[in-house]
Structure formats: structure tokens, C-alpha cells
Amino acid sequence: MTEFIRGLILGIVQGITEFLPVSSDGHLELAKYILGDKSMGEDSLFMTIVLHVATTLSIIVVFRKDIKDIFGGLLQFKWNAQTEFSAKVVVSMIPAVFVGLFFEAEIESLFSGRILLVAAMLAVSGLMLLLAHYFARDTDKPISYGNAFIIGIAQALAIAPGLSRSGSTISTSVLFGIDRNVAAKFSFLMVIPLILGKLAKDILDGQYSSQIENGTTLIVGFLAAFFTGLFACRLVLKVVQQSKLVYFAVYCFVVAIVAAAYILSKG
């Protein structure tokens, strides 16, 4: 298989699954396994990060008006709604930053074709979506700082491939009684500084200088993830509004069972 086709497939998988509550990391690991990708640890994680940057840029495009308003409020240099929202985003980042700084080696080890782990985490994602569907409180509470921190914990745990980040954060928000539209918006915007910050840190550290050689796969994957991400991001906003997360719970369970059965059947 050519690097072009490989990059295209991985990019499309990332772009579609990043926003749907089905775990893009988990699907990327499954796709890499099916494609015979033998990259392990840091190499595999780098490809995942590049594709995440692409979908992060698609978030910026979709939410460009909201982001413009946030920066406009921050530049007023006073406490306002935009400043408060930004402060809550910062609070939500604390758990993921802590995990990223102190458990980097452990995180890399998760991206080494551990398909049974992916299957288990997909099942957990499905369970969280079921809980959000059946036990959500139909209210429109604002996001508090305490809520933001707990949502951030959900995001940090979703570093594990197979555990959906958007599914975890949106489900947690909905269980708190937060309006679904606000929950989706917060879920997508809170990941932007984390992904871009992670990439910038690693590039400045020179961690990935030896991996840039695989340019075709990275570029094609990046573009495919970006453009499919634009579509998927808008789609999931409609799905969340219509309270159809339960369908994705069923999907997660099915994929988890199929993946686990396949691996166990091989030995």
C-alpha cells in the first residue's frame, strides 16, 4: 500500500471519528493494525498528534466566530463572560497537562497496537454514552469551575486510545445538567490549547526531528483529516442537539466486541 493511500485512510478515519463520540485514537489504532502499520510508541503517537492538529484546525474554522469573541473579550483586559469562559478552559486543562507531563512514557506505550485495550476502552465509551442518554438531567446549568475540572479529568482519562474524548467530556457535562449545546462547544474548544501546546512543546524539544521524513503520509493524512473534520464537527453538533448519543453507544459496543473477538481468535 502506498504512503498516499495510507495517509488518506488514516486522515479520513481521524477526521470523521475525532468529533463523533467513538474515539478517534481508538479507531486510528485499529486502522493502523488493519493496514499493517508496525510503528510503535513515539512513532505511532506522532502520527496521531499530527492528525489531531488537523482536526483541531477544523474546530478553529467551525468555531471561528466564538474564538474571535473570546479573544475580543480577553483583549478588553477585564473580567467578563469571555474571560470567565477562558478561565474555565484553563481549569479543564489542568488534569491533562498533569498526565502529559508526568506520564509521557506510559502514554506512548498505549499507542503500540494494543487492540484489546482499545476494545475495552471503546466499551467504556459506550457505557458513558448510555449513562448520558438515560440519566442526563434536562436542565441548562452553566459550567462551574468545579464542573470544568471534572470535565478536564474526563478529558485526561480519554488520552487512552478507545476512550472517546468528546464522548467522555460531553457525557460528563450532560450528566451535570449542562445544556447540550454549551457542553459540545466547551468540549471542542477546551482541546485546542492542549493539542497545539503539545505539538509546539515537542517540536521545540526536537523530539520528532527524525520522523519528519515520512512526509507523504503526514501531509495527505493532515489534509484528509482537516477537510473531513469540518464535516464531522458540524454533524456532531446536530447529533448532540437531537440527543442521539445512544446510537454511538451501540456502535462503540459493536466495534469493541468485533475487535476483541478478532484478536482473541488469533491467539
Side-chain angles (χ1 to χ4, degrees), residues 252-266:
C252 286
F253 288 132
V254 170
V255 175
I257 292 171
V258 171
Y262 178 75
I263 292 299
L264 292 174
S265 69
K266 293 187 66 176

Side-chain angles (χ1 to χ4, degrees), residues 75-98:
L75 291 175
Q76 294 178 14
F77 299 104
K78 63 180 182 181
W79 193 257
N80 50 37
Q82 292 82 9
T83 308
E84 184 175 10
F85 182 87
S86 300
K88 291 173 182 176
V89 168
V90 171
V91 169
S92 75
M93 291 169 55
I94 294 173
V97 170
F98 176 83

Side-chain angles (χ1 to χ4, degrees), residues 10 27-37 44-45 47-48:
L10 293 178
H27 279 73
L28 279 178
E29 291 303 298
L30 292 174
K32 291 173 187 176
Y33 182 85
I34 294 171
L35 295 174
D37 189 332
S44 181
L45 181 58
M47 181 66 182
T48 299

Side-chain angles (χ1 to χ4, degrees), residues 222-245:
F222 182 93
L223 293 174
F226 173 74
F227 287 110
T228 54
L230 292 175
F231 164 77
C233 185
R234 294 187 174 98
L235 173 63
V236 79
L237 291 174
K238 294 181 181 179
V239 169
V240 171
Q241 290 173 349
Q242 296 170 4
S243 305
K244 294 183 178 180
L245 294 177

Side-chain angles (χ1 to χ4, degrees), residues 23 25-34 37-41 44-45 103-122 159-163 255-256 259-260 262-264:
S23 177
D25 288 349
H27 279 73
L28 279 178
E29 291 303 298
L30 292 174
K32 291 173 187 176
Y33 182 85
I34 294 171
D37 189 332
K38 303 299 182 182
S39 59
M40 305 290 282
S44 181
L45 181 58
F103 298 95
E104 186 171 7
E106 289 79 5
I107 293 171
E108 288 178 2
S109 70
L110 299 177
F111 292 81
S112 302
R114 299 172 64 174
I115 304 304
L116 282 179
L117 171 65
V118 171
M121 291 299 99
L122 280 169
I159 289 175
L163 188 56
V255 175
Y262 178 75
I263 292 299
L264 292 174

Side-chain angles (χ1 to χ4, degrees), residues 134-231:
Y134 288 108
F135 297 101
R137 290 177 288 172
D138 190 17
T139 62
D140 56 353
K141 289 174 54 180
I143 298 175
S144 68
Y145 287 99
N147 293 156
F149 185 77
I150 296 175
I151 294 169
I153 293 176
Q155 176 169 252
L157 294 175
I159 289 175
L163 188 56
S164 171
R165 193 203 66 81
S166 62
S168 298
T169 54
I170 292 174
S171 295
T172 302
S173 301
V174 170
L175 288 170
F176 278 135
I178 296 168
D179 177 77
R180 292 176 181 270
N181 293 328
V182 174
K185 174 182 173 181
F186 190 75
S187 173
F188 291 146
L189 293 180
M190 68 189 284
V191 76
I192 293 176
L194 280 176
I195 294 296
L196 297 184
K198 168 65 175 172
L199 184 72
K201 174 184 178 297
D202 289 346
I203 289 176
L204 290 175
D205 290 344
Q207 267 190 303
Y208 299 130
S209 58
S210 62
Q211 295 145 321
I212 303 300
E213 61 199 27
N214 195 8
T216 301
T217 303
L218 292 177
I219 293 172
V220 173
F222 182 93
L223 293 174
F226 173 74
F227 287 110
T228 54
L230 292 175
F231 164 77

Side-chain angles (χ1 to χ4, degrees), residues 15 18-19 52-64 225-231 233-234:
E18 167 65 15
F19 302 105
H52 273 296
V53 171
T55 46
T56 297
L57 291 180
S58 66
I59 295 175
I60 293 173
V61 172
V62 172
F63 288 96
R64 59 189 180 278
F226 173 74
F227 287 110
T228 54
L230 292 175
F231 164 77
C233 185
R234 294 187 174 98

